[in-house]
Amino acid sequence: MRDDWLYDEQNRYVSSSRAIPILDIAEKRERLRVATEIDEYGAVALSPDGKTLAVGLMRGVRLHDARTGEPRGELTAEPAFGITGLVYSQGGRVLAASTDLGGIAAWDMPDGRVRFVSEVPKRPAKAIAISGDGRTLATVTFAASVCDARGPFGLSPWPFGVWSIACGVRGGAVHLFDASTGVRTRSTTYEEFVDAVAFSPDGTAVAAGGSGLVRLWDLATDDSRELFRADGDWSVRCLVYSPDGDTLGIGLGNGERGKLVLCDVRRARARAESDGLSGPVRSVAFSPGGTSLVAATPRSVVLFHLDAASADQGRTPSR
């Protein structure tokens, strides 16, 4: 999904529109463009069979025929919510969404029957992932709100007394839900913010990242370890596992710059990276065979061909 802003010769705003280009990767061309209204929220997901495009908006999900772009129906649920992320289960039988209420919603596909709507944990969820067996959903949110008492000039309230109370969110959290019922089953919190989440292919671990750091949560032991730490002011925007689970694709952003990193999961180190992309990497995906990787920025979609020998030596993948 991309926003197009039109300006005149004096750089004055004229109009804006939102569109979803569907690309033919083999031919490296735009095959179709689906137009949609400007909305406060936005998310897209393509069904595993490639036939249906799901578009998340402020009040539900609109379905389109991915071959023609024609609308095929809408999915709604109560209470109304804004869609922040969308994901299909591996077989396409379930479509799940993270919401601005902090919980999740799910529909049985293709009939569009509401499976459940969960409203916890009451903080906007920023991403959603589903395990390979389709049994568990994961979202990331802000952690709990924290209030600090302050004295004069921001000093400790002791011994001056409390002059003000400053409240805000601190850190991030990962939440797991039962994909059949929407019941939250487990949560873990981190000191840093988290904006992206991904299940390992075998469903035994969850990777989460945000403030330049990626952590791996082992679901069997409940332990968490650092998997990757970016240098400088890079922020993690998106995550994806390779089909074999050995590599984690990490999309990063730093202002108008973007970078893609391939991380060796077992060794917890970067295997290869490509920087200088035209804007922060907002989405990343492996091909089914794991030999290619696609990264999307606000200005471009880049296809990388992964050379195993080059990756093991830390060289940039070809594109």
Side-chain angles (χ1 to χ4, degrees), residues 8-150:
D8 61 18
E9 295 178 354
Q10 285 74 43
N11 201 34
R12 294 175 298 190
Y13 170 80
V14 176
S15 64
S16 59
S17 61
R18 173 168 283 181
I20 305 166
I22 297 179
L23 309 179
D24 187 310
I25 295 178
E27 299 184 9
K28 298 180 181 179
R29 66 177 180 86
E30 184 178 308
R31 190 179 69 194
L32 178 69
R33 177 168 293 209
V34 178
T36 185
E37 68 267 24
I38 291 291
D39 197 278
E40 183 179 356
Y41 295 92
V44 295
L46 194 63
S47 62
D49 61 9
K51 295 181 179 180
T52 304
L53 175 70
V55 182
L57 299 170
M58 181 64 185
R59 291 289 180 259
V61 179
R62 181 176 300 135
L63 303 177
H64 292 263
D65 188 310
R67 293 164 294 186
T68 66
E70 293 297 318
R72 296 178 56 178
E74 295 188 0
L75 306 177
T76 59
E78 295 295 337
F81 46 76
I83 304 293
T84 60
L86 282 173
V87 64
Y88 273 96
S89 63
Q90 195 169 67
R93 300 292 299 274
V94 177
L95 177 64
S98 55
T99 77
D100 61 344
L101 297 180
I104 54 176
W107 297 266
D108 290 320
M109 304 301 288
D111 60 7
R113 181 177 61 87
V114 177
R115 174 173 284 204
F116 60 78
V117 178
S118 168
E119 297 182 59
V120 294
K122 298 296 185 181
R123 294 181 181 86
K126 296 179 283 184
I128 187 168
I130 189 167
S131 60
D133 60 11
R135 296 180 179 180
T136 309
L137 290 158
T139 64
V140 293
T141 69
F142 294 117
S145 298
V146 177
C147 293
D148 295 319
R150 297 179 180 179

